[in-house]
Coordinates of all heavy atoms in Angstrom, one line a residue:
E21 N -164.3 -106.2 -68.9 CA -165.3 -105.5 -69.7 C -164.8 -105.5 -71.2 O -165.6 -105.7 -72.1 CB -165.5 -104.1 -69.3 CG -166.3 -104.0 -68.0 CD -166.4 -102.5 -67.5 OE1 -166.5 -101.6 -68.4 OE2 -166.5 -102.3 -66.3
Q22 N -163.5 -105.3 -71.3 CA -163.0 -105.2 -72.7 C -163.1 -106.5 -73.4 O -163.5 -106.6 -74.6 CB -161.5 -104.8 -72.7 CG -160.9 -104.7 -74.1 CD -159.4 -104.4 -74.1 OE1 -158.8 -104.5 -73.0 NE2 -158.9 -104.0 -75.2
L23 N -162.9 -107.6 -72.7 CA -163.0 -108.9 -73.4 C -164.5 -109.2 -73.8 O -164.7 -109.8 -74.9 CB -162.6 -110.0 -72.4 CG -161.1 -110.0 -71.9 CD1 -160.8 -111.1 -71.0 CD2 -160.2 -109.9 -73.1
V24 N -165.4 -108.7 -73.1 CA -166.8 -108.9 -73.5 C -167.1 -107.9 -74.7 O -167.7 -108.3 -75.7 CB -167.8 -108.6 -72.3 CG1 -169.2 -108.6 -72.8 CG2 -167.6 -109.6 -71.2
R25 N -166.7 -106.7 -74.5 CA -166.9 -105.7 -75.6 C -166.3 -106.1 -76.9 O -166.9 -105.9 -78.0 CB -166.3 -104.4 -75.1 CG -166.7 -103.2 -75.9 CD -166.3 -101.8 -75.3 NE -164.9 -101.8 -75.0 CZ -164.4 -101.8 -73.8 NH1 -165.2 -101.7 -72.7 NH2 -163.1 -101.7 -73.6
E26 N -165.1 -106.8 -76.9 CA -164.4 -107.2 -78.1 C -164.9 -108.5 -78.6 O -164.4 -109.0 -79.6 CB -162.9 -107.2 -77.8 CG -162.3 -105.9 -77.4 CD -162.2 -104.9 -78.6 OE1 -162.2 -105.4 -79.8 OE2 -162.1 -103.7 -78.4
G27 N -165.8 -109.2 -77.9 CA -166.3 -110.5 -78.3 C -165.5 -111.7 -78.0 O -165.7 -112.8 -78.5
V28 N -164.5 -111.5 -77.1 CA -163.6 -112.6 -76.8 C -164.3 -113.5 -75.7 O -164.1 -114.7 -75.7 CB -162.2 -112.0 -76.2 CG1 -161.4 -113.1 -75.7 CG2 -161.5 -111.2 -77.2
A29 N -165.1 -112.9 -74.9 CA -165.9 -113.6 -73.9 C -167.3 -113.0 -73.8 O -167.5 -111.8 -74.0 CB -165.1 -113.5 -72.6
R30 N -168.2 -113.8 -73.3 CA -169.6 -113.4 -73.1 C -169.7 -112.9 -71.7 O -170.6 -112.1 -71.4 CB -170.6 -114.5 -73.4 CG -170.7 -114.8 -74.9 CD -171.8 -115.9 -75.1 NE -171.6 -117.0 -74.3 CZ -170.9 -118.1 -74.5 NH1 -170.3 -118.2 -75.7 NH2 -170.9 -119.1 -73.7
S31 N -168.9 -113.4 -70.8 CA -168.9 -113.1 -69.4 C -167.6 -113.3 -68.8 O -166.7 -114.0 -69.4 CB -170.0 -113.9 -68.6 OG -169.6 -115.2 -68.5
A32 N -167.4 -112.9 -67.5 CA -166.1 -113.1 -66.9 C -165.8 -114.6 -66.7 O -164.6 -115.0 -66.8 CB -166.1 -112.5 -65.5
A33 N -166.8 -115.5 -66.6 CA -166.6 -116.9 -66.5 C -166.0 -117.5 -67.7 O -165.3 -118.5 -67.7 CB -167.9 -117.6 -66.1
D34 N -166.2 -116.9 -68.9 CA -165.6 -117.4 -70.1 C -164.1 -117.3 -70.2 O -163.5 -118.0 -71.0 CB -166.2 -116.6 -71.3 CG -167.7 -117.0 -71.6 OD1 -168.1 -118.0 -71.0 OD2 -168.3 -116.3 -72.4
V35 N -163.5 -116.6 -69.3 CA -162.0 -116.5 -69.3 C -161.5 -117.9 -69.0 O -160.4 -118.2 -69.6 CB -161.6 -115.5 -68.2 CG1 -160.1 -115.6 -67.9 CG2 -162.0 -114.1 -68.5
F36 N -162.1 -118.7 -68.3 CA -161.6 -120.1 -68.0 C -161.7 -120.9 -69.3 O -160.9 -121.8 -69.5 CB -162.5 -120.7 -66.9 CG -162.3 -120.1 -65.6 CD1 -163.2 -119.2 -65.1 CD2 -161.1 -120.3 -64.8 CE1 -163.0 -118.6 -63.9 CE2 -160.9 -119.7 -63.6 CZ -161.9 -118.8 -63.1
D37 N -162.6 -120.6 -70.2 CA -162.7 -121.4 -71.5 C -161.5 -121.0 -72.4 O -161.1 -121.8 -73.2 CB -164.0 -121.1 -72.2 CG -165.2 -121.6 -71.5 OD1 -165.0 -122.6 -70.7 OD2 -166.3 -121.1 -71.7
L38 N -160.9 -119.8 -72.2 CA -159.8 -119.4 -73.0 C -158.6 -120.3 -72.9 O -157.8 -120.4 -73.7 CB -159.4 -118.0 -72.7 CG -160.5 -116.9 -73.1 CD1 -160.0 -115.6 -72.6 CD2 -160.8 -116.9 -74.6
T39 N -158.5 -121.0 -71.7 CA -157.3 -121.8 -71.4 C -157.4 -123.1 -72.2 O -156.4 -123.8 -72.3 CB -157.2 -122.1 -69.9 OG1 -158.4 -122.9 -69.5 CG2 -157.1 -120.8 -69.1
D40 N -158.6 -123.5 -72.7 CA -158.7 -124.7 -73.5 C -157.8 -124.7 -74.8 O -157.3 -125.8 -75.1 CB -160.1 -125.0 -73.9 CG -161.0 -125.3 -72.6 OD1 -160.4 -125.7 -71.6 OD2 -162.2 -125.2 -72.8
E41 N -157.8 -123.6 -75.4 CA -156.9 -123.5 -76.6 C -156.0 -122.3 -76.4 O -156.1 -121.2 -76.9 CB -157.8 -123.2 -77.8 CG -158.7 -124.4 -78.2 CD -159.5 -124.2 -79.4 OE1 -159.2 -123.3 -80.2 OE2 -160.5 -124.9 -79.6
R42 N -155.0 -122.6 -75.5 CA -154.1 -121.6 -75.0 C -153.4 -120.8 -76.1 O -153.4 -119.5 -76.1 CB -153.1 -122.2 -74.1 CG -152.2 -121.1 -73.4 CD -151.3 -121.8 -72.4 NE -150.4 -120.8 -71.8 CZ -150.7 -120.1 -70.7 NH1 -151.8 -120.4 -70.0 NH2 -149.9 -119.2 -70.2
D43 N -152.8 -121.4 -77.1 CA -152.1 -120.7 -78.1 C -153.0 -119.8 -78.9 O -152.6 -118.6 -79.2 CB -151.4 -121.7 -79.1 CG -150.3 -122.5 -78.4 OD1 -149.7 -122.0 -77.4 OD2 -149.9 -123.6 -78.9
A44 N -154.1 -120.3 -79.3 CA -155.0 -119.4 -80.1 C -155.5 -118.2 -79.2 O -155.7 -117.1 -79.7 CB -156.2 -120.2 -80.6
S45 N -155.8 -118.5 -78.0 CA -156.2 -117.5 -77.0 C -155.2 -116.4 -76.8 O -155.5 -115.2 -76.7 CB -156.7 -118.1 -75.7 OG -157.8 -118.9 -75.9
L46 N -153.9 -116.9 -76.7 CA -152.8 -115.9 -76.5 C -152.7 -114.9 -77.7 O -152.6 -113.7 -77.5 CB -151.5 -116.6 -76.4 CG -151.2 -117.2 -75.1 CD1 -149.9 -118.1 -75.1 CD2 -151.0 -116.1 -74.0
E47 N -152.9 -115.5 -78.9 CA -152.8 -114.6 -80.1 C -154.0 -113.7 -80.2 O -153.9 -112.5 -80.5 CB -152.8 -115.5 -81.4 CG -151.6 -116.3 -81.6 CD -150.3 -115.5 -81.7 OE1 -150.4 -114.4 -82.3 OE2 -149.3 -115.9 -81.2
R48 N -155.2 -114.2 -79.8 CA -156.4 -113.4 -79.9 C -156.3 -112.2 -78.8 O -156.7 -111.1 -79.1 CB -157.6 -114.3 -79.6 CG -158.9 -113.6 -79.9 CD -160.0 -114.6 -79.9 NE -161.3 -114.0 -80.2 CZ -162.4 -114.5 -80.0 NH1 -162.5 -115.7 -79.5 NH2 -163.5 -113.8 -80.3
L49 N -155.9 -112.6 -77.6 CA -155.8 -111.6 -76.6 C -154.7 -110.5 -76.9 O -154.9 -109.3 -76.7 CB -155.5 -112.2 -75.2 CG -156.6 -113.0 -74.6 CD1 -156.1 -113.9 -73.4 CD2 -157.8 -112.1 -74.2
A50 N -153.6 -111.0 -77.4 CA -152.5 -110.1 -77.7 C -152.8 -109.1 -78.8 O -152.2 -108.0 -78.9 CB -151.2 -110.9 -78.1
A51 N -153.8 -109.5 -79.6 CA -154.2 -108.6 -80.7 C -155.1 -107.4 -80.2 O -155.3 -106.4 -80.9 CB -154.9 -109.4 -81.8
L52 N -155.6 -107.5 -79.0 CA -156.5 -106.5 -78.5 C -155.7 -105.2 -78.1 O -154.5 -105.3 -77.7 CB -157.2 -107.0 -77.2 CG -158.2 -108.2 -77.4 CD1 -158.7 -108.6 -76.0 CD2 -159.3 -107.8 -78.3
D53 N -156.4 -104.1 -78.2 CA -155.7 -102.8 -77.9 C -155.3 -102.8 -76.4 O -156.1 -103.1 -75.5 CB -156.7 -101.7 -78.1 CG -156.1 -100.3 -78.0 OD1 -154.9 -100.2 -78.3 OD2 -156.8 -99.4 -77.4
G54 N -154.1 -102.5 -76.1 CA -153.6 -102.5 -74.8 C -153.1 -103.8 -74.2 O -152.7 -103.9 -73.0
W55 N -153.1 -104.8 -75.0 CA -152.7 -106.2 -74.6 C -151.4 -106.5 -75.3 O -151.1 -106.1 -76.4 CB -153.7 -107.2 -74.9 CG -154.9 -107.1 -73.9 CD1 -155.9 -106.2 -74.0 CD2 -155.2 -108.0 -72.9 NE1 -156.8 -106.5 -73.0 CE2 -156.4 -107.6 -72.3 CE3 -154.6 -109.1 -72.3 CZ2 -157.0 -108.2 -71.2 CZ3 -155.1 -109.8 -71.2 CH2 -156.3 -109.3 -70.7
A56 N -150.6 -107.4 -74.7 CA -149.4 -108.0 -75.3 C -149.4 -109.4 -74.9 O -150.2 -109.9 -74.1 CB -148.2 -107.3 -74.9
K57 N -148.5 -110.2 -75.5 CA -148.4 -111.6 -75.1 C -148.2 -111.8 -73.7 O -148.7 -112.8 -73.1 CB -147.4 -112.3 -76.0 CG -147.8 -112.6 -77.4 CD -147.0 -113.6 -78.1 CE -147.5 -113.9 -79.4 NZ -146.9 -115.0 -80.1
T58 N -147.4 -111.0 -73.0 CA -147.2 -111.1 -71.6 C -148.4 -111.0 -70.8 O -148.7 -111.8 -69.9 CB -146.1 -110.1 -71.1 OG1 -144.9 -110.3 -71.9 CG2 -145.8 -110.3 -69.7
S59 N -149.2 -109.9 -71.1 CA -150.5 -109.7 -70.4 C -151.4 -110.9 -70.6 O -152.1 -111.3 -69.7 CB -151.2 -108.4 -70.9 OG -150.3 -107.3 -70.7
A60 N -151.5 -111.3 -71.8 CA -152.4 -112.5 -72.2 C -152.0 -113.7 -71.4 O -152.8 -114.4 -70.8 CB -152.4 -112.7 -73.7
A61 N -150.7 -114.0 -71.4 CA -150.2 -115.2 -70.7 C -150.4 -115.1 -69.2 O -150.8 -116.1 -68.6 CB -148.7 -115.3 -70.9
K62 N -150.3 -113.9 -68.6 CA -150.6 -113.7 -67.2 C -152.1 -114.0 -66.9 O -152.4 -114.6 -65.9 CB -150.2 -112.3 -66.7 CG -148.7 -112.1 -66.6 CD -148.4 -110.8 -66.0 CE -146.9 -110.6 -65.9 NZ -146.6 -109.2 -65.3
L63 N -153.0 -113.5 -67.7 CA -154.4 -113.8 -67.6 C -154.7 -115.3 -67.6 O -155.4 -115.8 -66.8 CB -155.2 -113.0 -68.6 CG -156.7 -113.4 -68.6 CD1 -157.4 -112.8 -67.3 CD2 -157.4 -112.8 -69.8
L64 N -154.2 -115.9 -68.6 CA -154.4 -117.4 -68.8 C -153.8 -118.2 -67.6 O -154.4 -119.1 -67.1 CB -153.9 -117.9 -70.1 CG -154.6 -117.2 -71.3 CD1 -154.1 -117.8 -72.6 CD2 -156.1 -117.5 -71.3
D65 N -152.6 -117.8 -67.2 CA -151.9 -118.4 -66.1 C -152.8 -118.3 -64.8 O -152.9 -119.3 -64.1 CB -150.5 -117.9 -65.8 CG -149.5 -118.2 -66.9 OD1 -149.8 -119.2 -67.7 OD2 -148.5 -117.6 -66.9
A66 N -153.3 -117.1 -64.6 CA -154.1 -116.9 -63.4 C -155.4 -117.7 -63.5 O -155.9 -118.3 -62.5 CB -154.5 -115.4 -63.2
A67 N -156.0 -117.8 -64.6 CA -157.3 -118.6 -64.8 C -157.0 -120.1 -64.6 O -157.7 -120.8 -63.9 CB -157.8 -118.4 -66.2
E68 N -155.9 -120.6 -65.1 CA -155.5 -122.0 -64.9 C -155.2 -122.3 -63.4 O -155.6 -123.3 -62.9 CB -154.3 -122.3 -65.8 CG -154.6 -122.4 -67.2 CD -153.4 -122.6 -68.1 OE1 -152.3 -122.3 -67.7 OE2 -153.6 -122.9 -69.3
A69 N -154.5 -121.3 -62.8 CA -154.2 -121.5 -61.3 C -155.5 -121.6 -60.5 O -155.6 -122.4 -59.6 CB -153.3 -120.4 -60.8
R70 N -156.4 -120.7 -60.8 CA -157.7 -120.6 -60.0 C -158.5 -121.9 -60.3 O -159.1 -122.4 -59.4 CB -158.4 -119.4 -60.4 CG -159.8 -119.2 -59.6 CD -159.5 -119.2 -58.1 NE -160.7 -119.3 -57.3 CZ -161.1 -120.4 -56.7 NH1 -160.4 -121.5 -56.7 NH2 -162.1 -120.4 -55.9
A71 N -158.5 -122.3 -61.5 CA -159.3 -123.5 -61.9 C -158.8 -124.7 -61.2 O -159.6 -125.7 -60.9 CB -159.4 -123.7 -63.4
A72 N -157.5 -124.7 -60.9 CA -156.9 -125.9 -60.3 C -157.2 -126.0 -58.8 O -157.0 -127.1 -58.2 CB -155.4 -125.9 -60.5
R73 N -157.6 -124.9 -58.2 CA -157.9 -124.9 -56.7 C -159.3 -125.4 -56.5 O -160.2 -124.9 -57.2 CB -157.7 -123.5 -56.1 CG -156.3 -123.1 -56.0 CD -156.2 -121.8 -55.2 NE -157.3 -120.9 -55.4 CZ -157.1 -119.6 -55.7 NH1 -156.0 -119.1 -55.8 NH2 -158.2 -118.8 -55.8
P74 N -159.5 -126.3 -55.5 CA -160.9 -126.7 -55.2 C -161.7 -125.5 -54.6 O -161.1 -124.7 -53.9 CB -160.7 -127.8 -54.3 CG -159.4 -127.7 -53.7 CD -158.6 -126.9 -54.7
V75 N -163.0 -125.5 -54.8 CA -163.9 -124.5 -54.2 C -164.5 -125.1 -53.0 O -165.1 -126.3 -53.1 CB -164.9 -124.0 -55.2 CG1 -165.9 -123.1 -54.6 CG2 -164.3 -123.4 -56.4
A76 N -164.5 -124.4 -51.9 CA -165.1 -125.0 -50.6 C -166.6 -125.1 -50.9 O -167.2 -124.3 -51.5 CB -164.8 -124.0 -49.5
L77 N -167.2 -126.1 -50.3 CA -168.7 -126.4 -50.5 C -169.5 -125.2 -50.1 O -170.4 -124.8 -50.9 CB -169.1 -127.6 -49.7 CG -170.5 -128.1 -49.9 CD1 -170.8 -128.3 -51.4 CD2 -170.8 -129.4 -49.1
P78 N -169.3 -124.5 -48.9 CA -170.1 -123.3 -48.6 C -170.0 -122.2 -49.7 O -171.0 -121.6 -50.0 CB -169.6 -122.9 -47.3 CG -168.9 -124.0 -46.7 CD -168.4 -124.8 -47.8
D79 N -168.8 -122.0 -50.2 CA -168.6 -121.0 -51.2 C -169.4 -121.4 -52.5 O -169.9 -120.5 -53.2 CB -167.1 -120.8 -51.5 CG -166.4 -120.2 -50.3 OD1 -167.0 -119.6 -49.5 OD2 -165.2 -120.4 -50.2
F80 N -169.3 -122.7 -52.9 CA -170.0 -123.2 -54.1 C -171.5 -123.0 -53.9 O -172.2 -122.4 -54.8 CB -169.7 -124.6 -54.3 CG -170.5 -125.2 -55.4 CD1 -170.2 -125.0 -56.7 CD2 -171.5 -126.1 -55.1 CE1 -170.9 -125.5 -57.8 CE2 -172.3 -126.6 -56.2 CZ -172.0 -126.4 -57.5
I81 N -172.1 -123.3 -52.8 CA -173.5 -123.2 -52.5 C -173.9 -121.7 -52.6 O -174.9 -121.4 -53.3 CB -173.9 -123.8 -51.2 CG1 -173.7 -125.3 -51.2 CG2 -175.3 -123.5 -50.8 CD1 -173.8 -126.0 -49.9
Y82 N -173.1 -120.9 -52.0 CA -173.4 -119.4 -52.0 C -173.3 -118.9 -53.5 O -174.2 -118.1 -53.9 CB -172.5 -118.7 -51.1 CG -172.6 -117.2 -51.2 CD1 -173.8 -116.6 -50.6 CD2 -171.7 -116.4 -51.8 CE1 -173.9 -115.2 -50.6 CE2 -171.8 -115.0 -51.8 CZ -173.0 -114.4 -51.3 OH -173.1 -113.1 -51.3
A83 N -172.3 -119.3 -54.2 CA -172.1 -118.8 -55.6 C -173.3 -119.2 -56.5 O -173.4 -118.6 -57.6 CB -170.8 -119.3 -56.1
L84 N -174.1 -120.2 -56.2 CA -175.2 -120.6 -57.0 C -176.2 -119.5 -57.2 O -176.9 -119.4 -58.1 CB -175.9 -121.9 -56.5 CG -175.0 -123.1 -56.6 CD1 -175.8 -124.3 -55.9 CD2 -174.7 -123.5 -58.0
G85 N -176.2 -118.6 -56.2 CA -177.1 -117.4 -56.2 C -178.5 -117.7 -56.0 O -179.4 -117.0 -56.5
A86 N -178.8 -118.8 -55.3 CA -180.2 -119.1 -55.0 C -180.8 -118.0 -54.1 O -180.2 -117.5 -53.2 CB -180.3 -120.5 -54.3
P87 N -182.1 -117.7 -54.4 CA -182.8 -116.7 -53.5 C -182.8 -117.1 -52.1 O -183.0 -118.3 -51.7 CB -184.2 -116.7 -54.1 CG -184.1 -117.2 -55.5 CD -182.9 -118.2 -55.4
R88 N -182.5 -116.2 -51.2 CA -182.6 -116.3 -49.8 C -181.5 -117.2 -49.2 O -181.6 -117.7 -48.1 CB -184.0 -116.8 -49.3 CG -185.0 -115.8 -49.7 CD -186.4 -116.2 -49.4 NE -186.5 -116.3 -47.9 CZ -187.5 -116.9 -47.3 NH1 -188.5 -117.4 -48.0 NH2 -187.6 -117.0 -46.0
I89 N -180.5 -117.5 -50.0 CA -179.3 -118.3 -49.5 C -178.1 -117.4 -49.5 O -177.4 -117.2 -50.4 CB -179.0 -119.5 -50.5 CG1 -180.2 -120.4 -50.6 CG2 -177.8 -120.3 -49.9 CD1 -180.7 -121.1 -49.4
G90 N -177.9 -116.9 -48.3 CA -176.7 -116.1 -48.0 C -175.5 -116.9 -47.6 O -175.6 -118.1 -47.6
K91 N -174.5 -116.3 -47.2 CA -173.3 -117.0 -46.7 C -173.5 -117.8 -45.5 O -173.0 -119.0 -45.4 CB -172.1 -116.0 -46.5 CG -171.6 -115.4 -47.8 CD -170.4 -114.5 -47.5 CE -169.9 -114.0 -48.9 NZ -168.7 -113.2 -48.7
A92 N -174.3 -117.3 -44.5 CA -174.6 -118.1 -43.3 C -175.4 -119.3 -43.6 O -175.1 -120.4 -43.1 CB -175.3 -117.2 -42.3
T93 N -176.4 -119.2 -44.4 CA -177.2 -120.3 -44.8 C -176.4 -121.3 -45.6 O -176.6 -122.6 -45.4 CB -178.5 -119.9 -45.6 OG1 -179.2 -119.0 -44.8 CG2 -179.4 -121.1 -45.9
A94 N -175.6 -120.9 -46.5 CA -174.7 -121.8 -47.3 C -173.8 -122.6 -46.4 O -173.6 -123.8 -46.6 CB -173.9 -121.0 -48.3
K95 N -173.3 -121.9 -45.3 CA -172.4 -122.7 -44.4 C -173.2 -123.7 -43.6 O -172.7 -124.8 -43.4 CB -171.8 -121.7 -43.4 CG -170.7 -120.9 -44.0 CD -170.1 -120.0 -42.9 CE -169.0 -119.1 -43.5 NZ -168.4 -118.2 -42.5
R96 N -174.5 -123.4 -43.3 CA -175.3 -124.4 -42.6 C -175.7 -125.6 -43.5 O -175.6 -126.7 -43.0 CB -176.6 -123.7 -42.0 CG -176.3 -122.9 -40.8 CD -177.6 -122.5 -40.1 NE -178.5 -121.7 -40.9 CZ -178.6 -120.4 -40.9 NH1 -178.0 -119.7 -40.0 NH2 -179.5 -119.8 -41.7
V97 N -176.0 -125.3 -44.7 CA -176.4 -126.3 -45.7 C -175.1 -127.2 -45.9 O -175.2 -128.5 -45.9 CB -176.9 -125.8 -47.0 CG1 -177.0 -126.8 -48.1 CG2 -178.2 -125.1 -46.8
A98 N -174.0 -126.6 -46.0 CA -172.8 -127.4 -46.3 C -172.4 -128.3 -45.0 O -172.0 -129.4 -45.2 CB -171.6 -126.5 -46.6
A99 N -172.7 -127.7 -43.8 CA -172.4 -128.5 -42.6 C -173.3 -129.7 -42.5 O -172.9 -130.8 -42.1 CB -172.5 -127.6 -41.4
V100 N -174.6 -129.5 -42.9 CA -175.5 -130.6 -42.8 C -175.2 -131.7 -43.9 O -175.2 -132.9 -43.6 CB -177.0 -130.1 -43.1 CG1 -177.9 -131.3 -43.3 CG2 -177.4 -129.3 -41.9
A101 N -174.9 -131.2 -45.1 CA -174.6 -132.2 -46.2 C -173.2 -132.8 -46.0 O -173.0 -134.0 -46.2 CB -174.6 -131.5 -47.5
G102 N -172.2 -132.0 -45.7 CA -170.9 -132.6 -45.4 C -170.0 -132.7 -46.6 O -168.8 -132.6 -46.5
S103 N -170.6 -132.9 -47.8 CA -169.8 -133.1 -49.0 C -170.7 -132.8 -50.2 O -171.9 -132.9 -50.1 CB -169.2 -134.5 -49.1 OG -170.3 -135.4 -49.3
W104 N -170.0 -132.6 -51.4 CA -170.8 -132.4 -52.6 C -171.6 -133.6 -53.0 O -172.8 -133.5 -53.3 CB -169.8 -131.9 -53.7 CG -170.5 -132.0 -55.1 CD1 -170.1 -132.8 -56.1 CD2 -171.7 -131.3 -55.5 NE1 -171.0 -132.6 -57.2 CE2 -171.9 -131.7 -56.8 CE3 -172.5 -130.4 -54.9 CZ2 -173.0 -131.2 -57.6 CZ3 -173.6 -129.9 -55.7 CH2 -173.8 -130.3 -57.0
P105 N -171.0 -134.8 -53.0 CA -171.8 -136.0 -53.3 C -173.1 -136.1 -52.4 O -174.2 -136.5 -52.9 CB -170.9 -137.2 -53.2 CG -169.5 -136.6 -53.3 CD -169.6 -135.2 -52.8
R106 N -172.9 -135.9 -51.2 CA -174.1 -136.0 -50.2 C -175.1 -134.9 -50.5 O -176.3 -135.1 -50.5 CB -173.6 -135.9 -48.8 CG -174.7 -135.9 -47.8 CD -175.4 -137.3 -47.7 NE -176.4 -137.2 -46.7 CZ -177.7 -137.5 -47.0 NH1 -178.1 -138.0 -48.2 NH2 -178.6 -137.4 -46.1
L107 N -174.6 -133.7 -50.8 CA -175.6 -132.6 -51.1 C -176.3 -132.9 -52.4 O -177.5 -132.8 -52.5 CB -174.8 -131.3 -51.3 CG -175.7 -130.1 -51.7 CD1 -176.7 -129.8 -50.7 CD2 -174.8 -128.9 -52.0
R108 N -175.6 -133.4 -53.4 CA -176.3 -133.8 -54.6 C -177.3 -134.9 -54.4 O -178.4 -134.8 -54.9 CB -175.2 -134.3 -55.6 CG -175.7 -134.8 -56.9 CD -176.3 -133.7 -57.7 NE -176.9 -134.2 -58.9 CZ -177.4 -133.5 -59.9 NH1 -177.3 -132.2 -59.8 NH2 -178.0 -134.0 -60.9
S109 N -177.0 -135.9 -53.6 CA -178.0 -136.9 -53.2 C -179.2 -136.3 -52.5 O -180.3 -136.7 -52.8 CB -177.3 -138.0 -52.4 OG -178.2 -138.9 -51.9
M110 N -179.0 -135.4 -51.6 CA -180.1 -134.8 -50.9 C -181.0 -134.0 -51.9 O -182.2 -134.1 -51.8 CB -179.5 -133.9 -49.8 CG -178.8 -134.6 -48.7 SD -177.9 -133.5 -47.6 CE -179.2 -132.5 -46.8
L111 N -180.4 -133.3 -52.8 CA -181.1 -132.5 -53.8 C -181.9 -133.5 -54.7 O -183.1 -133.2 -55.1 CB -180.2 -131.6 -54.6 CG -179.6 -130.5 -53.8 CD1 -178.5 -129.8 -54.6 CD2 -180.6 -129.5 -53.3
D112 N -181.3 -134.6 -55.1 CA -182.0 -135.5 -56.0 C -183.2 -136.1 -55.2 O -184.2 -136.3 -55.8 CB -181.0 -136.7 -56.4 CG -180.0 -136.2 -57.5 OD1 -180.3 -135.2 -58.1 OD2 -179.0 -136.9 -57.7
D113 N -183.0 -136.5 -54.0 CA -184.1 -137.0 -53.2 C -185.2 -136.0 -53.1 O -186.4 -136.4 -53.2 CB -183.6 -137.4 -51.8 CG -182.7 -138.6 -51.8 OD1 -182.6 -139.3 -52.8 OD2 -182.0 -138.8 -50.7
A114 N -184.9 -134.8 -52.8 CA -185.9 -133.7 -52.7 C -186.7 -133.6 -54.0 O -187.9 -133.4 -54.1 CB -185.3 -132.4 -52.2
D115 N -185.9 -133.6 -55.1 CA -186.5 -133.5 -56.4 C -187.5 -134.6 -56.7 O -188.6 -134.4 -57.2 CB -185.4 -133.4 -57.5 CG -186.0 -133.2 -58.9 OD1 -186.7 -132.2 -59.1 OD2 -185.6 -134.0 -59.8
D116 N -187.0 -135.8 -56.4 CA -187.9 -137.0 -56.6 C -189.2 -136.9 -55.8 O -190.3 -137.2 -56.3 CB -187.2 -138.3 -56.2 CG -186.0 -138.7 -57.1 OD1 -186.0 -138.1 -58.3 OD2 -185.2 -139.5 -56.7
R117 N -189.1 -136.5 -54.5 CA -190.3 -136.3 -53.7 C -191.2 -135.3 -54.3 O -192.4 -135.5 -54.3 CB -189.9 -135.9 -52.2 CG -189.4 -137.0 -51.4 CD -189.4 -136.7 -49.9 NE -188.6 -135.4 -49.6 CZ -187.3 -135.4 -49.5 NH1 -186.6 -136.5 -49.6 NH2 -186.7 -134.2 -49.2
L118 N -190.7 -134.1 -54.7 CA -191.5 -133.1 -55.3 C -192.2 -133.6 -56.6 O -193.4 -133.4 -56.8 CB -190.7 -131.9 -55.6 CG -191.4 -130.7 -56.3 CD1 -192.5 -130.2 -55.4 CD2 -190.4 -129.5 -56.5
R119 N -191.4 -134.3 -57.4 CA -192.1 -134.8 -58.7 C -193.2 -135.8 -58.3 O -194.2 -135.8 -59.0 CB -191.0 -135.5 -59.5 CG -190.1 -134.5 -60.2 CD -189.0 -135.3 -61.0 NE -188.0 -134.4 -61.5 CZ -188.0 -133.7 -62.6 NH1 -189.0 -133.8 -63.4 NH2 -187.0 -132.9 -62.9
G120 N -193.0 -136.6 -57.3 CA -194.0 -137.6 -56.9 C -195.3 -136.8 -56.4 O -196.4 -137.2 -56.8
E121 N -195.1 -135.8 -55.6 CA -196.2 -135.0 -55.1 C -196.9 -134.3 -56.3 O -198.2 -134.3 -56.3 CB -195.7 -134.0 -54.1 CG -195.3 -134.7 -52.8 CD -194.7 -133.7 -51.8 OE1 -194.9 -132.5 -52.0 OE2 -194.0 -134.1 -50.9
L122 N -196.2 -133.8 -57.2 CA -196.8 -133.2 -58.3 C -197.6 -134.1 -59.2 O -198.7 -133.8 -59.8 CB -195.8 -132.4 -59.2 CG -195.2 -131.2 -58.5 CD1 -194.0 -130.7 -59.4 CD2 -196.2 -130.1 -58.3
A123 N -197.1 -135.3 -59.4 CA -197.8 -136.4 -60.2 C -199.1 -136.8 -59.5 O -200.0 -137.1 -60.2 CB -196.9 -137.6 -60.3
E124 N -199.1 -136.8 -58.2 CA -200.3 -137.2 -57.5 C -201.4 -136.0 -57.4 O -202.5 -136.3 -57.1 CB -200.0 -137.6 -56.0 CG -199.1 -138.8 -56.0 CD -198.6 -139.1 -54.6 OE1 -199.0 -138.4 -53.6 OE2 -197.9 -140.1 -54.4
A125 N -200.9 -134.8 -57.7 CA -201.8 -133.6 -57.5 C -202.8 -133.5 -58.7 O -202.7 -134.0 -59.7 CB -201.0 -132.4 -57.4

């Protein structure tokens, strides 16, 4: 909340952007009330470590926040697709079919 309030980030997801310019971000974070370089470094280290780990397909699908797609449905969709490239292909195919139907309507 403090990072948003202080204008350092617009949302929690922006923390990952802070790692792009680590030195400048360390200085900016350390200047905040209640922060020091150690705290700032720990935050950036944690963001970098999390960004380096792959996200499981069901978790990614669920995180998109699509209406009526809960964790169980996300797992089923991921099981059917099997991989991100295959899911992307399936979505592209569905989009093409929908666009074709709309063009004919």
Side-chain angles (χ1 to χ4, degrees):
E21 291 179 29
Q22 181 185 12
L23 299 181
V24 173
R25 192 173 52 250
E26 298 287 338
V28 175
R30 291 183 309 269
S31 71
D34 288 345
V35 170
F36 294 100
D37 293 336
L38 295 175
T39 62
D40 293 340
E41 295 184 17
R42 187 178 177 91
D43 291 338
S45 295
L46 281 172
E47 294 298 324
R48 192 169 181 196
L49 289 168
L52 296 176
D53 187 38
W55 286 76
K57 284 197 176 189
T58 302
S59 301
K62 286 182 179 181
L63 174 68
L64 296 179
D65 289 345
E68 288 171 345
R70 180 60 188 106
R73 288 191 323 232
V75 176
L77 186 56
D79 295 337
F80 174 75
I81 294 168
Y82 176 71
L84 293 174
R88 301 177 61 194
I89 303 294
K91 289 184 178 185
T93 303
K95 285 181 183 179
R96 286 193 299 257
V97 170
V100 169
S103 68
W104 166 243
R106 176 70 182 124
L107 176 61
R108 179 67 187 187
S109 175
M110 292 168 67
L111 293 171
D112 286 343
D113 291 347
D115 184 53
D116 290 343
R117 281 193 308 275
L118 179 59
R119 288 178 190 271
E121 291 175 15
L122 290 173
E124 293 173 5

